[in-house]
Amino acid sequence: MRNFIIADNQELTRLALISLIREDAACKLYLATDKAGLVELLKEHDDATVLLDFTLFDFADVEQLLIVGERFTLSQWILISDELTPDLMRRVVYSSHQFSIVFKDGPLGEIREALKTVGNHSRYISQRAMEAIIRQQYEDETPGVLTATETEIVKAIAQGKTTKEIAGERFSSVHTINTHRKNIFRKLGVNTAHEVIKYALRAGLVDTSDFYI
């Protein structure tokens, strides 16, 4: 009998996942609402398959997630979120074969396929996730080149917008925007938002009337 732990705090998604999992009669379902509760369930069911919305759960960063995965080596994980950054996906995929990746707004068949694949003790990486990982790897090999998303975030920083404001405008999580900021700082070789603003001015991304210091 397979054990599943749903770690997703969106009620509609949680109900949909329960329905999909129950298509397999030989299973038991458990719900976790935070990281501490998830760890306690894994102590009792260390071979469980965890369906996790990382962006809406209370993991501080991807390192915490990987540590929990390493602690429960028999567990398998399906990361299912609206948005996962390429850096996060690449870190997870390259660090452990325990993790599969699908997106909530992807085809329903992908989630079914992920459940089936993980049930056979293999991992499933959706095509969209794989393409994002490969694209990110290419961009890392050409340092200093900002993606279109990163360029838009540079403009927003130069206009004095906070991380929370940028996340709200882009319908992203604060975690996602923070990851983009770290990538921008790394690519530009800077350490402060003030240096990012100076870059934006030199690159002509904003006019002097548009930015804030």
Side-chain angles (χ1 to χ4, degrees):
M1 179 167 300
R2 296 176 64 189
N3 293 312
F4 290 89
I5 300 173
I6 297 178
D8 189 317
N9 288 322
Q10 282 186 334
E11 185 175 3
L12 187 60
T13 305
R14 193 165 59 237
L15 291 172
L17 291 174
I18 290 171
S19 178
L20 283 173
I21 293 169
R22 281 181 174 164
E23 291 177 359
D24 178 3
C27 68
K28 285 190 176 181
L29 278 168
Y30 305 91
L31 302 179
T33 57
D34 56 27
K35 185 184 65 159
L38 174 57
V39 169
E40 288 304 310
L41 284 170
L42 283 168
K43 288 179 181 178
E44 298 178 24
H45 314 285
D46 62 354
D47 62 345
T49 297
V50 181
L51 287 87
L52 170 70
D53 186 336
F54 178 80
T55 59
L56 295 181
F57 229 60
D58 62 337
F59 282 96
D61 51 36
V62 69
E63 296 301 328
Q64 279 194 357
L65 174 62
L66 293 171
I67 288 169
V68 174
E70 289 173 1
R71 180 177 176 185
F72 301 100
T73 56
L74 297 179
S75 64
Q76 298 182 85
W77 300 68
I78 300 176
L79 302 187
I80 173 169
S81 298
D82 288 320
E83 183 177 0
L84 293 169
T85 65
D87 271 345
L88 184 149
M89 291 189 290
R90 187 172 65 171
R91 180 81 174 88
V92 167
V93 167
Y94 288 174
S95 296
S96 173
H97 284 273
Q98 291 172 267
F99 293 91
S100 298
I101 301 174
V102 293
F103 290 92
K104 285 184 178 179
D105 59 355
L108 189 61
E110 280 193 348
I111 300 177
R112 283 197 173 98
E113 186 63 27
L115 289 169
K116 179 180 178 181
T117 302
V118 170
N120 292 325
H121 301 286
S122 297
R123 72 174 176 184
Y124 181 90
I125 309 297
S126 73
Q127 182 176 347
R128 174 178 160 192
M130 186 58 69
E131 288 174 352
I133 292 168
I134 293 171
R135 185 166 58 249
Q136 180 69 35
Q137 183 167 342
Y138 169 77
E139 290 167 354
D140 282 354
E141 291 171 354
T142 54
V145 178
L146 299 182
T147 66
T149 296
E150 289 167 347
T151 299
E152 290 301 316
I153 292 174
V154 166
K155 291 180 183 178
I157 292 171
Q159 291 165 353
K161 295 176 181 176
T162 66
T163 298
K164 186 176 181 179
E165 289 171 336
I166 297 170
E169 289 181 356
R170 300 190 62 83
F171 303 102
S172 298
S173 68
V174 170
H175 172 80
T176 296
I177 300 303
N178 277 330
T179 299
H180 283 307
R181 283 176 62 101
K182 289 177 184 177
N183 290 337
I184 290 166
F185 281 35
R186 174 177 54 79
K187 286 184 177 182
L188 298 182
V190 301
N191 296 298
T192 67
H194 184 76
E195 292 174 292
V196 172
I197 293 170
K198 290 197 292 185
Y199 165 82
L201 286 169
R202 289 196 304 269
L205 299 179
V206 292
D207 296 325
T208 54
S209 60
D210 293 332
F211 77 92
Y212 167 87
I213 298 182

